[in-house]
Amino acid sequence: MDCLKCAAACTSGCIFLEDGELVIDAGKCVGCGTCATVCPTCALESLNPTDAQLKGACLAAMREVVAPAAEASTGSASAEPQREVVIACSQAEAALGDLLVPGSCASVVCAGRVDESLLAGLAAEGVQRATVLCGLCDRCAQRHGRETAELVAETARLVLDAWGNGMEIVVADVPPVPVVRDDAAPRGAIQARDGYFAVERACAPIDEGAADEAVAAEAAVDVAPAIEGEGAAAPASLSSPEAEAADVTAGPGMRFYWNSGRSRKVAAHSMHVMKDGTLPHFLPDRRERLLDALARLGEPVHPKLETRLWGAVVIDSALCESCRMCATFCPTGAIAKFDDADGALGVAHTLADCVKCGSCQDICPTDAITLLDAVPTSWLVGGESHRYDMVPRAVNLDNNSHQILDTFRLFFNGDIFER
């Protein structure tokens, strides 16, 4: 358990490490969504609002405004207007109250809820400026959310710049003038903000009844990806006996693809082995939406991109022992096995599907894998794969659903016991 990004980013103490195991106390969850933003594999998902609902709210709140710089340069307000979206955290909205123009902001619990797929999607819709409006984060218990928002903004700038898109992304605690009433901006808004944060603020845990209603409204959406060969996905009703049996959990305002219960440790028994001996894998919806948005923006203008989002896998053939455990544990299928009719075998790496989680590096028994930060942008939009041919091993890997156990038997000279 080397990642722990969710626990580090959690703003409420809902996710924490105890005796070497990850624990989720859903009763503390405020629904900020910061954990889902930093999770590379999207093992956690924000529900309140969902990604689709948040994007819709952003587009509904979009306004065309004249940038102050344009006014100053032309001496008039006749300059070309910009499409602007403001996303406000709940504490900023509470601080400003009636000073905010109704409908001028999309609402989130915390600024950490905003992720790169949302910002790229807005850019693809023609938005030219996105402002993430925070309160005074040093006076708020959800202060980690500001750090995540800044990280996401920087990553999104790098990605959009690689595609030649100049959408301005700002994380600020002072509201832009267009979202504040004319008789209050800007001094009145700043005074209201400072007065509200004269005491330490914190978001309250999400009301479970409201969370259940949000989940019920989403009943048409699959809760978890279907397991190959095992029929449909888990049921959408998270409180049903079927969901309980499927080991799917929803915390208040969040969805966890683990065990059920208000406070439960992550358990391995909910995992299944697929026919080729690998664990279930799927490309997170957020990554698909991000790639779709980039495709809409056209061709990249820079040959390489270095961000937290993607990594390029390099396998040292001199060290590799052909166990293909990297493909077994890859959560997205970015590393996949191939077994050709002519006897060639190995793994293929599809860079666009890589989420840079590092699972392949962690599981490799010979440290043969290097994960590069810089990736070719053409591979992201083109979906190219790189094949690594390997030599056959003593263990039969073809159509062997017990590959993991057999491989460990080989490593440990058979000293493996089953119950």
Side-chain angles (χ1 to χ4, degrees), residues 159 162-163 300-305 351 375-382 384:
V159 172
W163 262 258
V301 297
H302 297 309
K304 286 200 171 184
L305 176 64
L351 191 146
V375 301
T377 51
S378 61
W379 285 42
L380 294 177
V381 292
E384 287 90 343

Side-chain angles (χ1 to χ4, degrees), residues 174-175 177 180-192:
V174 177
V177 171
V180 181
R181 286 199 337 243
D182 290 341
D183 59 343
R187 183 184 296 271
I190 295 174
Q191 289 176 341

